Amino acid sequence: MNRGEGEDPLVAEARALLASGQDAEEVFAVLAARSGAWGASVLAVCLALGVSRTDAEARLLEARPLFEQFAAGEEDLVAVLLSCGHLFVVDRVLDGRGERIRDLLETAAGARGGYPGSLLGWFRSGELTKIFLFFARTRFRNGRGSPAEFWTAMVAAGDLLVRDGGPDLTEVRAGLEHCRAQAAAAGTG
């Protein structure tokens, strides 16, 4: 079957709106306001973005309780909340090296005592350099977390990121040097 052939009209419309430059949040708000079918609109946007049907349906189940708290005319607000919940993030499949970096950053997050929920989207979409640079600015206070474990994981992640080069190489190198200095101060370097 060709793309679009036999496709749900709401999904086709979501694809067209995304292709026109609207972001997922805007597309949801437009479809939900027009159709009144908030669940179908969530599903349509997720599928149009390339989220698997199984994952899209699971995301919809998570979102359904939110719908009960709002009424028609509040689609823009619901769209913002769905976006803040990272409902429209397309999970990036990483290669082995990328998975290793993400694992190291997750180890660092655990040693740090967690991370702001706003970073969840970066983890899901594979924004590894952004996460590394954010964490490189971490300061430990009041004996919370495990600085030695954190900085060890950060140095390992930074070493892997530096090997790739990339547009943020200068920042990554500076972040890595900072991480090495912190690891040495924590007695791990």
Side-chain angles (χ1 to χ4, degrees):
M1 171 172 23
N2 291 331
R3 184 176 182 174
E5 186 179 309
E7 180 175 65
D8 179 314
L10 213 51
V11 175
E13 186 176 355
R15 272 200 182 94
L17 291 170
L18 289 167
S20 75
Q22 292 186 39
D23 65 26
E25 186 179 315
E26 294 169 318
V27 173
F28 167 80
V30 167
L31 295 178
R34 186 186 50 72
S35 71
W38 292 7
S41 297
V42 164
L43 198 58
V45 173
C46 287
L47 293 173
L49 288 168
V51 174
S52 73
R53 179 164 289 279
T54 302
D55 194 18
E57 289 171 351
R59 292 177 188 198
L60 175 57
L61 281 175
E62 290 176 25
R64 280 206 189 277
L66 177 70
F67 301 158
E68 297 168 11
Q69 300 174 29
F70 296 91
E74 296 181 307
E75 291 84 4
D76 287 338
L77 182 55
V78 172
V80 168
L81 295 173
L82 293 172
S83 185
C84 287
H86 310 291
L87 199 85
F88 300 127
V89 172
V90 178
D91 294 337
R92 182 172 167 203
V93 176
L94 300 171
D95 61 13
R97 189 196 122 289
E99 283 292 334
R100 176 70 180 134
I101 294 169
R102 184 163 43 199
D103 289 347
L104 287 164
L105 293 171
E106 287 173 350
T107 297
R112 183 179 180 268
Y115 57 88
S118 58
L119 264 62
L120 177 61
W122 288 356
F123 271 103
R124 288 182 60 189
S125 62
E127 298 287 344
L128 305 176
T129 299
K130 286 182 181 180
I131 298 166
F132 173 79
L133 293 172
F134 177 86
F135 281 168
R137 294 187 293 274
T138 291
R139 293 193 175 123
F140 285 88
R141 296 185 185 105
N142 304 329
R144 294 162 82 179
S146 174
E149 184 182 357
F150 175 83
W151 294 116
T152 297
M154 288 295 292
V155 168
D159 281 336
L160 290 170
L161 285 168
V162 164
R163 290 182 201 159
D164 283 348
D168 300 316
L169 183 58
T170 301
E171 285 181 85
V172 172
R173 280 187 177 142
L176 177 56
E177 290 310 311
H178 174 73
C179 292
R180 283 189 175 129
Q182 294 301 312
T188 65

